[in-house]
């Protein structure tokens, strides 16, 4: 047997014995004698274990042969040391329960079967099962990809933030392909001012990196050539539309590159300083077929480029310039259109430089990976489209609400920008409460959806004012209706003065009249009329409290008699004028104040009629509580602190503070910061506003942040926070 083995090893094809016969067998055959010495091996065995060829000589014992396999790399050590693998193999020798699998160093797989011979030896048969393992691996990888896509799909469908969604799509796609970099573009319509570059040309190079050095193509598609014709044959999805007046573009939404450590867009908050990529020429309306991203958008087809530097189909001169500047090498590109349910391209997913997972070498994007990424792009497009539709609806709702709010603010100069500023201040206070690590708000938190709900409530908190008559909203004086009736009262005083002068002149024409005395009486009468006129003018403003003496004086003046334009003698003031001039504080009667106060009732009624979705169900409660007081004396429902939610109490503080500090009200002078905060402190002491929220309002500096944003410099003065936080002693 030993001589036969030597002959087989040296001249396997010439031996007519057993070794020669076995050389034609597809399996690897090794025969060991009873002492575990190698006595025979065929050509296929030597091929399988070629690195250990020197150990495959007559008489080599099994242990030596096994250690040679481990030491020479003929087999995959499965993460073990050579010694550990060899020892494990020796322990299993002659003790194996059945066939086992072994991976070779070159990647092939063997199924190894050991069986005892009649003379105590061991026959080892090695069958190549590489093809089977590859099929199993492909099936396993397919299962993993399917499971991964399902997991990604679930994650994509649950993500509600577009920036995070875009980031997730790109990072998952990069991970599947092991790509070095990637970009997501969003399909947009350029605004008028952004439609054309200064020289009216678009960049047709390199994936749309930049506009620069635009060169007009010569002739009809002259530079497109056969490649361009082929692209046209793919089916331009928008060739039947004149895009000169409807400029489609691809906006850079997110960029990543691992080697260059680039992370722009998405959740980074860093803008991408690259203008949108024009898909159509602004002059001719022709499609941009020299740019790989725009071609994917135009045709709706995936473009896989093995090497940008050898591509003749696209112009990558911009990419090459970028590479030279950054010492980089852009090679493989995979550009995939992202289509929604209507088969419309809404974005482009572009990956660059696929990397071998073992060597790290840049390779072409694998066709199987391409299919997976296309599937991911399809799922991502639907999720992205859904979220963008939701955000579009949300933006429309926001715009509509803000339109109503601005209309209310514009309706009267006496409301100014109130509807716009209250939500800002409310959200600032909510942010401070959410950020509190200790105290009564340490467990308070509003997520994005809850903050949006508060945002909507803030903008709609005064929507009921749309029904409030302007003559009430704009009533800046007590006698104001369509016009300020104080002017009519002044005219009456002039009539009384005229009549007094007529009487004086008539008296002076009579004999025996003391002229000096009569003149003095006239002066006194005129002075009294002037004093009464000034008093009524002051009372009409409503700036001071009307006590009983002042009200009685109004009634006395009202009893003066004058002759109207109809010649009939009548009281100087009508009952309605007396009623209005006797208003105790401010300019509104009880009835008018009820009309004003009813705006909150109308607000609640309006909002409760709207079919708010689940995430906005509390808008009526938040918006309808800003005139309630903590002691239950507010309106319209007389709620106490315990009956109000924290966001509703926040809006009450915001509404009051905005009104106190507003500088755009013609009927009052804007209060300083210290005056406003002192009033707020008294309201806290009177149990009108939430004391804990007021403390947060002060300690977190919310009032100062608001002041810096909205108040005039002369309003911002020194405020003693410590004094504000000291509660006034309760009266017994």
């Amino acid at each position: 047997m030993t001589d036969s083995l030597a002959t087989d090893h040296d001249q396997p094809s010439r031996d007519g014995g057993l070794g020669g016969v076995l050389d034609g067998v597809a399996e690897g055959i090794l025969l060991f004698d009873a002492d575990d010495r190698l006595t025979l091996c065929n050509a296929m065995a030597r091929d399988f274990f070629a690195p250990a060829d020197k150990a495959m000589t007559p008489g080599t014992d099994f242990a030596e042969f096994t250690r040679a396999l481990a030491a020479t790399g003929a087999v995959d050590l499965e993460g073990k040391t050579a010694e550990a693998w060899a020892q494990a193999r020796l322990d299993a020798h002659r003790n194996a329960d059945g066939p086992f699998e072994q991976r070779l160093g070159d990647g092939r797989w063997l199924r190894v079967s050991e069986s005892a011979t009649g003379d105590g030896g061991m026959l080892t048969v090695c069958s190549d099962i590489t093809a089977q393992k590859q099929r199993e691996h492909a099936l396993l990888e397919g299962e993993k990809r399917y499971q991964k896509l399902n997991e990604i799909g679930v994650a994509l469908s649950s993500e509600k933030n577009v920036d995070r969604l875009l980031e997730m799509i790109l990072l998952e796609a990069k991970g599947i392909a092991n790509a070095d970099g990637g970009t997501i573009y969003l399909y947009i319509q350029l605004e008028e001012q952004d439609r054309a570059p200064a020289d009216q040309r678009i960049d047709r190079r390199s994936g749309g990196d930049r506009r620069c050095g635009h060169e007009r193509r010569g002739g009809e598609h002259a530079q497109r050539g056969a490649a361009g014709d082929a692209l046209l044959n793919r089916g331009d999805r928008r060739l039947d539309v004149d895009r000169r007046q409807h400029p489609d573009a691809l906006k850079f939404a997110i960029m990543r590159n691992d080697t260059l450590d680039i992370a722009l867009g998405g959740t980074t908050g860093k803008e991408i300083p690259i203008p949108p990529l024009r898909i159509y020429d602004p002059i001719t309306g022709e499609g941009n077929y020299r740019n790989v991203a725009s071609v994917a958008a135009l045709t709706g087809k995936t473009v896989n480029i093995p090497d940008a530097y050898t591509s003749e189909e696209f112009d990558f001169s911009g990419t090459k310039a970028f590479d030279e500047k950054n010492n980089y090498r852009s090679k493989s590109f995979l550009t995939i259109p992202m289509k929604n349910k209507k088969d419309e391209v809404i974005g482009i997913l572009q990956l660059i430089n696929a990397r071998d997972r073992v060597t790290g070498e840049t390779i072409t994007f694998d066709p199987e990976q391409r299919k997976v990424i296309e599937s991911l792009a399809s799922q991502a497009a639907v999720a992205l489209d859904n979220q963008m539709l939701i955000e579009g609806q949300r933006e429309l709702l926001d715009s509509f609400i803000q339109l109503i709010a601005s209309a209310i603010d514009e309706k009267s100069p006496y409301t100014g920008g109130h509807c716009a500023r209250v939500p800002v201040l409310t959200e600032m206070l909510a942010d401070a409460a959410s950020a509190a690590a200790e105290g009564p708000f340490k467990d308070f938190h509003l997520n994005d959806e809850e903050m949006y709900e508060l945002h909507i409530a803030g903008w709609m908190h005064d929507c009921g004012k749309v029904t409030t008559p302007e003559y009430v909203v704009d009533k800046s004086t007590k006698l104001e209706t369509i016009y300020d009736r104080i002017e009519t009262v002044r005219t009456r005083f002039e009539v009384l003065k005229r009549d007094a002068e007529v009487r004086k002149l008539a008296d002076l024409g009579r004999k025996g009249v003391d002229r000096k005395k009569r003149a003095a009486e006239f002066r006194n009468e005129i002075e009294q009329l002037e004093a009464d006129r000034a008093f009524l003018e002051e009372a009409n403003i409503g700036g001071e409290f009307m006590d009983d003496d002042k009200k009685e004086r109004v009634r006395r003046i009202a009893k003066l008699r004058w002759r109207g334009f109809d010649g009939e003698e009548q009281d100087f003031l009508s009952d309605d004028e007396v009623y209005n001039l006797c208003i105790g504080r401010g300019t509104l009667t009880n009835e008018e104040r009820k009309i004003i106060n009813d705006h909150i009732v109308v607000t609640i009624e309006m909002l409760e009629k709207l079919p708010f979705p689940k995430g906005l169900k509390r808008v009526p409660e938040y918006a309808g509580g800003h005139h309630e007081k903590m002691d239950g004396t507010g309106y319209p429902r007389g709620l106490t602190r315990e009956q109000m939610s924290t966001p509703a109490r926040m809006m009450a503080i915001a509404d009051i503070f905005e009104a106190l500090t507003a500088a755009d009200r013609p009927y009052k002078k804007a209060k300083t910061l210290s005056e406003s905060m002192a009033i707020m402190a008294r309201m806290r002491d009177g149990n009108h506003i939430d004391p804990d929220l007021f403390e947060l309002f002060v300690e977190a500096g919310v009032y100062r942040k608001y002041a810096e944003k909205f108040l005039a410099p002369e309003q911002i003065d020194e405020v003693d926070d410590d004094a504000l936080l000291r509660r006034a002693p309760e009266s017994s």
Side-chain angles (χ1 to χ4, degrees):
M1 291 291 289
T2 302
D3 292 339
S4 175
L5 177 62
T7 302
D8 288 341
H9 185 271
D10 295 334
Q11 296 176 318
S13 61
R14 298 179 186 175
D15 194 327
L18 180 60
V21 173
L22 293 179
D23 279 346
V25 176
E27 285 80 14
I29 306 296
L30 298 102
L31 183 61
F32 295 87
D33 62 17
D35 295 325
D36 266 345
R37 291 192 302 271
L38 185 63
T39 60
L40 183 147
C41 69
N42 69 348
M44 187 55 70
R46 290 193 295 273
D47 177 70
F48 288 154
F49 305 116
D53 184 67
K54 292 182 179 180
M56 300 172 71
T57 56
T60 302
D61 68 20
F62 183 80
E64 182 182 351
F65 171 67
T66 299
R67 292 189 179 95
L69 291 179
T72 60
V75 294
D76 179 22
L77 301 179
E78 303 169 357
K80 303 174 184 176
T81 64
E83 293 78 3
W85 182 89
Q87 188 59 53
R89 180 70 183 90
L90 290 172
D91 292 342
H93 182 52
R94 293 182 181 268
N95 296 314
D97 295 331
F100 62 90
E101 295 176 353
Q102 175 63 56
R103 190 167 188 258
L104 298 178
D106 61 10
R108 288 181 292 175
W109 280 89
L110 302 179
R111 177 179 287 109
V112 181
S113 301
E114 294 183 334
S115 57
T117 61
D119 58 358
M122 180 68 69
L123 176 65
T124 302
V125 180
C126 303
S127 303
D128 190 338
I129 59 169
T130 302
Q132 174 188 330
K133 295 297 289 186
Q134 287 174 341
R135 288 192 297 272
E136 290 176 358
H137 178 73
L139 287 172
L140 182 60
E141 286 299 307
E143 254 185 62
K144 288 181 179 177
R145 286 195 294 266
Y146 179 75
Q147 184 177 353
K148 182 66 174 176
L149 282 175
N150 279 341
E151 292 173 355
I152 293 172
V154 171
L156 291 176
S157 63
S158 63
E159 181 53 66
K160 295 179 174 58
N161 180 281
V162 169
D163 284 337
R164 287 197 294 266
L165 183 59
L166 290 170
E167 197 164 86
M168 184 186 300
I169 295 167
L170 182 57
L171 294 181
E172 291 292 353
K174 279 178 76 271
I176 291 171
N178 196 33
D180 188 41
T183 300
I184 289 181
Y185 307 81
L186 292 182
Y187 206 111
I188 64 167
Q189 290 281 311
L190 288 175
E191 298 294 334
E192 184 69 33
Q193 65 271 19
D194 298 326
R195 288 187 177 182
D199 58 2
Q200 298 294 301
R201 290 291 172 267
I202 62 175
D203 182 7
R204 301 183 178 278
R205 311 176 300 168
S206 82
D209 292 339
R210 304 180 184 281
R211 293 184 180 130
C212 54
H214 312 291
E215 294 183 1
R216 188 172 181 80
R217 296 169 296 160
E220 182 70 12
H221 308 304
Q223 296 183 20
R224 188 186 302 166
D229 294 336
L231 288 169
L232 276 175
N233 292 332
R234 296 179 190 174
D236 189 337
R237 301 157 61 81
R238 297 177 174 81
L239 285 180
D240 59 334
V241 181
D242 183 356
R243 294 292 162 177
R244 286 173 291 182
Q245 299 303 318
H246 305 281
D248 296 8
L250 295 174
K251 175 186 176 183
F252 290 80
I254 181 171
M255 294 179 68
R256 294 289 187 274
N257 188 287
D258 298 340
T259 299
L260 298 178
D261 194 26
I262 292 174
L264 300 173
T267 61
T268 66
K270 300 176 183 177
E271 292 292 328
I272 301 177
I274 304 175
L277 165 66
R278 289 295 300 263
I279 300 175
Y280 295 89
D281 190 294
I283 301 300
T284 67
E286 297 173 359
N288 180 4
Y289 286 96
R290 295 293 287 160
N291 182 287
V292 66
S294 63
V295 164
L298 286 165
T299 65
K301 304 289 185 181
T302 296
V303 182
N304 191 355
I305 299 173
D307 192 340
Y309 279 54
T310 61
S311 172
E312 297 180 358
E313 197 172 14
F314 302 99
D315 184 350
F316 281 97
S317 56
T319 293
K320 294 174 183 177
F322 174 85
D323 288 353
E324 184 177 356
K325 180 180 178 181
N326 294 279
N327 192 28
Y328 190 68
R329 173 64 161 91
S330 301
K331 188 176 181 181
S332 53
F333 280 77
L334 182 63
T335 308
I336 301 175
M338 300 169 63
K339 304 177 190 177
N340 63 13
K341 293 178 181 177
K342 297 180 180 179
D343 202 36
E344 298 169 337
V345 175
I346 63 169
I348 299 294
L349 169 61
Q350 186 176 74
L351 300 177
I352 181 173
N353 286 359
R355 295 170 294 187
D356 186 278
R357 295 186 184 276
V358 177
T359 66
E361 178 186 1
T362 299
I363 57 175
T364 302
F365 285 93
D366 181 81
E368 290 301 317
Q369 290 180 343
R370 166 182 165 172
K371 293 178 183 178
V372 176
I373 297 171
E374 284 178 331
S375 179
L376 167 63
S378 178
Q379 291 186 65
V382 173
L384 180 61
D385 192 45
N386 288 340
Q387 198 54 44
M388 291 173 70
L389 285 173
I390 292 172
E391 288 209 353
Q393 292 174 343
R394 178 173 288 189
E395 288 177 8
L396 178 62
L397 175 62
D398 280 351
S399 298
F400 185 68
I401 290 171
Q402 291 174 22
L403 181 66
I404 295 173
S406 62
I408 293 170
D409 282 346
E410 289 295 327
K411 181 179 178 181
S412 168
Y414 300 97
T415 56
H418 177 76
C419 291
R421 290 191 288 264
V422 167
V424 175
L425 183 53
T426 303
E427 290 169 44
M428 290 172 69
L429 188 52
D431 285 336
S434 295
E438 56 185 12
F441 301 104
K442 63 179 174 28
D443 296 324
F444 177 85
H445 176 72
L446 296 181
N447 59 31
D448 290 345
E449 292 299 311
E450 291 167 333
M451 185 62 83
Y452 179 68
E453 185 177 37
L454 182 59
H455 169 81
I456 293 296
W459 275 98
M460 299 194 75
H461 81 284
D462 269 350
C463 66
K465 284 183 178 178
V466 74
T467 66
T468 306
E470 291 182 26
Y471 77 88
V472 177
V473 176
D474 291 353
K475 191 181 181 188
S476 59
T477 64
K478 295 179 180 181
L479 292 179
E480 184 173 359
T481 52
I482 298 175
Y483 71 100
D484 192 347
R485 290 176 291 170
I486 195 67
E487 297 299 330
T488 302
V489 173
R490 289 189 181 115
T491 300
R492 294 174 194 164
F493 274 113
E494 293 303 317
V495 171
L496 290 181
K497 287 161 64 178
R498 179 206 64 187
D499 291 348
E501 187 171 8
V502 169
R503 289 194 301 272
K504 181 197 74 169
L505 293 175
D507 290 344
L508 292 177
R510 297 190 186 97
K511 293 181 180 180
V513 173
D514 186 337
R515 300 179 69 85
K516 286 186 177 182
K517 180 180 178 182
R518 186 70 184 88
E521 290 173 349
F522 174 72
R523 284 194 302 273
N524 290 338
E525 186 176 3
I526 295 301
E527 287 175 359
Q528 184 60 50
L529 289 173
E530 286 293 334
D532 288 343
R533 178 188 60 79
F535 168 73
L536 292 184
E537 287 177 346
E538 182 68 24
N540 185 49
I541 295 174
E544 294 184 5
F545 176 69
M546 289 285 289
D547 57 26
D548 291 341
D549 290 341
K550 291 177 180 178
K551 292 177 182 179
E552 184 58 37
R553 185 175 178 181
V554 170
R555 296 187 186 98
R556 179 185 60 77
I557 296 172
K559 294 185 181 301
L560 295 175
R561 305 290 290 175
W562 78 295
R563 196 175 297 277
F565 299 109
D566 57 1
E568 295 292 328
E569 191 175 72
Q570 54 193 288
D571 287 343
F572 188 74
L573 296 174
S574 68
D575 291 343
D576 181 70
E577 289 167 341
V578 173
Y579 180 60
N580 277 270
L581 286 169
C582 288
I583 293 171
R585 192 183 300 276
T587 64
L588 299 177
T589 65
N590 291 333
E591 294 78 11
E592 290 166 341
R593 191 166 296 282
K594 185 178 185 305
I595 292 174
I596 287 288
N597 291 347
D598 277 351
H599 84 271
I600 190 61
V601 176
V602 176
T603 293
I604 294 171
E605 290 176 348
M606 289 173 64
L607 294 180
E608 287 183 343
K609 289 178 181 178
L610 293 177
F612 284 111
K614 182 179 179 181
L616 298 177
K617 286 294 185 184
R618 289 173 292 189
V619 166
E621 189 252 321
Y622 293 168
H626 63 278
H627 286 305
E628 302 288 356
K629 298 178 182 179
M630 302 304 100
D631 60 0
T633 61
Y635 64 91
R637 291 171 169 163
L639 301 177
T640 63
R641 180 190 184 192
E642 291 72 22
Q643 294 173 309
M644 296 175 66
S645 66
T646 300
R649 285 179 265 147
M650 289 176 176
M651 198 170 297
I653 287 180
D655 187 74
I656 295 168
F657 187 73
E658 191 286 329
L660 290 172
T661 57
D664 51 7
R665 311 289 201 275
Y667 61 87
K668 75 176 186 70
K669 179 182 177 182
K671 296 187 181 298
T672 64
L673 205 52
S674 60
E675 291 172 334
S676 301
M677 291 302 290
I679 293 172
M680 297 283 286
R682 290 196 293 273
M683 296 183 77
R684 182 268 320 272
D685 295 338
N687 202 21
H688 291 173
I689 61 175
D690 187 287
D692 293 335
L693 281 174
F694 179 73
E695 183 175 331
L696 179 68
F697 193 61
V698 175
E699 290 183 335
V702 175
Y703 76 93
R704 287 198 175 278
K705 294 173 186 175
Y706 176 85
E708 290 167 1
K709 189 172 183 178
F710 292 105
L711 269 59
E714 57 271 19
Q715 287 181 262
I716 304 176
D717 56 359
E718 289 296 323
V719 178
D720 187 344
D721 288 356
D722 292 336
L724 291 174
L725 294 173
R726 287 194 293 271
R727 297 287 300 268
E730 296 184 6
S731 56
S732 56

